[in-house]
């Protein structure tokens, strides 16, 4: 018997691992299930359907998902009616083999098959296993998110106890899927397939729907947004259309307060796009530009198709358009063949750019990637030492950069109210702990004077005229 016949309101729980792309996919799956009458369960143990949305970008992310799946074997023993679905990159890579390895898994759903989830669940009767991992001729469906009505509550109730439920105010909007770059270390082109851009109209419809529902900030999402519109036609007349054009059109939506995007590959970063930072008022001065390594020899073996010189030139150009732009990056240490001298070049690049923040990882072999077969693997101990050194210096630079905000008055978007104040975010994406409260709701922007900086967040005070109750 299928889950849906079993009960009036079956429940689901989704656990997400990995990237923002997966976060967004989980949201979409949640909405699709809600439309079919499922209710979300806060506890994994109570759910009729558990979806594990996996990530395989690095070995660690995959291990975490696998250990949850291991634990679910036990849970299913005590509740045999539970259906377990594995989605995301591990699902795409392993397909039916995953069901064979893990007999408690009922459904394996590839990265391009999200929209089939509800139908597949309906037909699952617990006797057969289903794995679907199609990746041919993929077109991302039009999708209009449903969100609670605008401004569910008015926060003059800020002193109410408990605090009002948080209103969604910030959303990701997927503009493209997949990647054609084949960096030698990366599974994404295999797990998410070839690059496909969504139609401009579908993106704008979704953005309008988000803003109409009260969303203040949108982050346009794709594996490599700089190449938006290059591999398939995105307009009805099939004419050329760039990511910068898309940014300008989304930015023009009345009522949208902040716009961001991620992720970019330096090899496709155009001057036209960099100029947007100087020209689009709501485009936040924050840019994630993964460099991966400061050594040209390593970049070449990674198949990144740019040099450290080009990267540094881009940093200069970005800062010429927006001197206050906060730059962040991704770095891999211990790529096969990375010598001490190569690593020193990464450290030197860190000193030159002085990133506001970075994500750094030890290289790990990923099945099916080219670098998994490279010789000259770097010893685990050396990788660890390099990672510690990089992270230690980055931490110092984070603090040095953050101290530059002290004394400044910055627009901060409120995220939540706390017992003694509020928490918000600057345009540069820094978290700010704010003393004092004003009548506002998440997504409103208020002016805050920064008086203290830590490595990972700032502290500020509301300008005195904004204090609640002030004249
Ligand atoms: N090993 C270590 N880090 C990796 N990343 C991607 N693949 C690997 C790998 N095999 C990192 C890159 C990428 C980020 C999302 O994950 O830095 O930008
Ligand atoms: Fe992976 Fe490179 Fe594509 Fe990024 S650009 S998703 S690192 S292949």
């Amino acid at each position: 018997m299928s889950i849906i016949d079993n009960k009036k309101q079956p429940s689901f729980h989704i656990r997400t691992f990995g990237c923002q792309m997966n976060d967004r996919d989980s949201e979409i799956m949640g909405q699709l299930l809600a439309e079919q009458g499922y209710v979300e369960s806060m506890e994994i143990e109570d759910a009729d359907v558990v979806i594990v949305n996996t990530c395989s970008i690095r070995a660690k992310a995959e291990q975490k998902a696998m250990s949850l799946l291991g634990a679910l074997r036990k849970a299913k023993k005590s509740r045999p009616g539970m259906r377990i679905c594995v989605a995301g990159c591990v699902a795409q890579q392993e397909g039916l083999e995953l069901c064979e390895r893990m007999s408690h898994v009922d459904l394996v759903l590839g990265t391009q098959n999200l929209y089939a989830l509800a139908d597949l669940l309906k037909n699952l009767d617990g006797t057969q296993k289903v794995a679907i991992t199609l990746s041919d001729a993929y077109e991302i469906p039009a999708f209009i998110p449903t969100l609670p009505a605008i401004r569910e509550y008015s926060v003059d109730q800020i002193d109410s106890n408990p605090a009002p439920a948080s209103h969604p105010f910030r959303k990701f909007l997927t503009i493209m899927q997949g990647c054609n770059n084949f960096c030698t270390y990366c599974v994404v082109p295999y797990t998410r397939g070839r690059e496909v851009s969504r139609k401009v109209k579908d993106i704008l419809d979704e953005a309008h729907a988000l803003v109409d529902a009260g969303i203040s900030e949108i982050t346009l999402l794709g594996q490599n947004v700089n190449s938006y519109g290059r591999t398939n036609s995105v307009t009805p007349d099939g004419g050329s259309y760039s990511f910068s054009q898309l940014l300008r059109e989304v930015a023009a939506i009345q009522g949208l307060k902040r716009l961001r995007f991620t992720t970019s590959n330096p090899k496709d970063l155009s001057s036209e796009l960099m100029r947007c930072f100087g020209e689009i008022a709501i485009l936040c001065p924050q840019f994630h530009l993964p460099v991966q390594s400061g050594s040209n020899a390593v970049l070449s073996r990674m198949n990144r198709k740019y040099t450290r010189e080009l990267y540094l030139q881009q940093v200069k150009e970005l800062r010429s358009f927006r001197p206050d732009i906060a730059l962040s990056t991704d770095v891999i240490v211990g790529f096969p063949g990375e010598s001490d001298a190569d690593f020193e070049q990464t450290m030197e690049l860190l000193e030159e750019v002085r990133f506001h923040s970075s994500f750094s990882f030890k290289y790990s072999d990923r099945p099916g990637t080219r670098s998994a077969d490279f010789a000259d693997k770097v010893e685990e101990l050396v990788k660890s030492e390099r990672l510690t050194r990089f992270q230690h210096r980055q931490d110092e630079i984070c603090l040095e950069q953050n101290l530059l905000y002290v004394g400044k008055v910055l627009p901060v978007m409120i995220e939540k109210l706390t017992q003694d104040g509020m928490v918000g975010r600057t345009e540069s994406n820094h978290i700010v702990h704010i003393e004092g409260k004003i009548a506002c709701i998440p997504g409103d922007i208020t002016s805050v004077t920064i008086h203290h900086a830590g490595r990972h967040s700032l502290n500020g005070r509301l300008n005195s005229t904004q204090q609640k109750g002030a004249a």
Side-chain angles (χ1 to χ4, degrees):
M1 186 190 281
S2 117
I3 282 271
I4 208 103
D5 308 325
N6 246 348
K7 278 191 191 177
K8 280 228 164 67
Q9 281 216 298
S11 59
F12 71 94
H13 183 96
I14 307 182
R15 270 301 161 87
T16 311
F17 295 88
C19 63
Q20 293 149 333
M21 203 65 102
N22 269 10
D23 288 337
R24 180 70 193 120
D25 286 350
S26 289
E27 268 188 350
I28 291 173
M29 288 190 281
Q31 179 174 329
L32 294 170
L33 291 181
E35 282 166 5
Q36 297 297 316
Y38 288 75
V39 287
E40 189 167 4
S41 152
M42 288 303 130
E43 302 301 329
I44 205 163
E45 293 77 16
D46 304 336
D48 298 306
V49 176
V50 176
I51 297 163
V52 182
N53 194 1
T54 59
C55 171
S56 62
I57 192 120
R58 293 175 298 275
K60 228 176 176 178
E62 184 166 339
Q63 281 152 13
K64 279 192 201 161
M66 285 307 170
S67 82
L68 173 63
L69 278 171
L72 283 173
R73 186 190 293 275
K74 240 184 173 174
K76 189 158 180 178
K77 269 204 182 112
S78 53
R79 291 189 48 224
M82 182 189 254
R83 299 281 178 268
I84 299 176
C85 166
V86 185
C89 290
V90 178
Q92 178 69 35
Q93 269 187 312
E94 293 208 22
L96 204 55
E97 274 175 35
L98 194 66
C99 295
E100 281 156 16
R101 233 164 19 99
M102 299 196 155
S103 56
H104 58 300
V105 170
D106 300 281
L107 174 63
V108 175
L109 195 67
T111 49
Q112 298 179 353
N113 306 101
L114 300 185
Y115 295 86
L117 173 64
D119 275 347
L120 291 168
L121 277 177
K122 255 187 234 162
N123 299 323
L124 273 187
D125 61 6
T127 58
Q128 96 271 37
K129 312 277 170 194
V130 177
I132 156 164
T133 54
L134 293 178
S135 65
D136 285 348
Y138 181 58
E139 187 169 326
I140 306 170
F143 183 75
I144 297 297
T146 52
L147 288 167
I150 309 177
R151 317 273 144 150
E152 282 173 315
Y153 58 90
S154 98
V155 183
D156 240 341
Q157 318 153 2
I158 55 175
D159 293 326
S160 66
N161 194 9
S166 118
H167 177 88
F169 64 94
R170 181 176 58 185
K171 286 284 172 190
F172 289 117
L173 197 172
T174 304
I175 64 162
M176 61 203 296
Q177 287 265 25
C179 182
N180 288 352
N181 288 329
F182 290 94
C183 300
T184 52
Y185 52 80
C186 186
V187 285
V188 167
Y190 308 99
T191 59
R192 294 229 170 230
R194 293 297 76 73
E195 189 176 295
V196 185
S197 298
R198 283 181 78 186
K199 301 271 181 279
V200 177
K201 180 180 178 305
D202 290 348
I203 295 170
L204 292 178
D205 285 351
E206 187 169 332
H208 275 286
L210 290 172
V211 176
D212 288 348
I215 292 299
S216 300
E217 177 178 311
I218 291 178
T219 302
L220 302 180
L221 196 59
Q223 226 63 247
N224 182 18
V225 293
N226 303 166
S227 59
Y228 174 78
R230 287 202 199 153
T231 47
N232 60 291
S233 137
V234 291
T235 56
D237 64 2
S240 75
Y241 193 92
S242 71
F243 179 58
S244 315
Q245 281 172 279
L246 181 70
L247 264 187
R248 287 178 197 274
E249 289 214 43
V250 177
I253 296 175
Q254 282 295 315
L256 183 63
K257 294 180 191 162
R258 285 183 176 179
L259 181 59
R260 304 180 195 270
F261 61 85
T262 195
T263 284
S264 303
N265 185 322
K267 87 178 172 60
D268 296 313
L269 177 55
S270 64
S271 288
E272 187 198 356
L273 177 56
M274 291 192 257
R275 202 170 316 116
C276 289
F277 282 100
E279 293 177 358
I280 302 178
I282 67 163
L283 182 62
C284 291
Q286 173 247 320
F287 194 15
H288 186 66
L289 190 59
V291 66
Q292 311 299 358
S293 169
S295 151
N296 284 337
V298 174
L299 287 173
S300 159
R301 284 200 302 279
M302 287 176 164
N303 193 31
R304 292 289 288 178
K305 300 195 181 109
Y306 56 84
T307 59
R308 83 179 259 133
E309 290 75 22
L310 179 76
Y311 189 91
L312 290 170
Q313 175 53 37
Q314 290 174 340
V315 167
K316 218 161 136 192
E317 197 171 339
L318 281 164
R319 286 180 172 153
S320 76
F321 292 119
R322 227 18 242 257
D324 60 341
I325 196 162
L327 296 173
S328 58
T329 200
D330 289 346
V331 162
I332 299 176
V333 301
F335 186 76
E338 184 189 70
S339 65
D340 285 343
D342 290 323
F343 175 65
E344 286 314 320
Q345 293 205 306
T346 300
M347 292 301 295
E348 279 163 26
L349 186 126
L350 170 61
E351 295 301 334
E352 256 185 82
V353 180
R354 296 178 58 78
F355 296 102
H356 277 70
S357 65
S358 65
F359 299 95
S360 47
F361 313 100
K362 285 195 271 187
Y363 168 80
S364 57
D365 279 339
R366 302 285 61 219
T369 60
R370 274 166 56 202
S371 63
D373 294 330
F374 285 3
D376 300 330
K377 294 280 157 61
V378 175
E379 270 176 52
E380 209 46 42
L381 190 68
V382 175
K383 282 196 253 182
S384 298
E385 280 168 7
R386 287 180 187 167
L387 188 69
T388 306
R389 223 184 110 202
F390 183 89
Q391 290 181 339
H392 177 74
R393 184 61 192 130
Q394 175 67 71
D395 275 355
E396 289 174 347
I397 292 174
C398 285
L399 182 59
E400 289 159 17
Q401 292 285 38
N402 288 355
L403 284 169
L404 300 177
Y405 292 111
V406 173
K408 293 209 163 124
V409 179
L410 301 177
V412 174
M413 184 176 281
I414 302 304
E415 296 198 347
K416 62 179 179 191
L417 308 169
T418 61
Q419 205 97 50
D420 21 294
M422 306 191 287
V423 177
R425 231 170 246 269
T426 60
E427 290 177 333
S428 56
N429 218 17
H430 287 80
I431 290 179
V432 188
H433 300 278
I434 307 164
E435 286 166 27
K437 295 179 193 180
I438 46 167
C440 66
I441 59 169
D444 283 350
I445 295 178
T446 190
S447 173
V448 173
T449 307
I450 305 300
H451 64 79
H452 180 266
R455 251 182 236 155
H456 302 299
S457 64
L458 307 172
N459 294 73
R461 275 185 210 105
L462 288 167
N463 286 346
S464 55
T465 49
Q466 296 174 305
Q467 291 285 357
K468 190 180 176 220

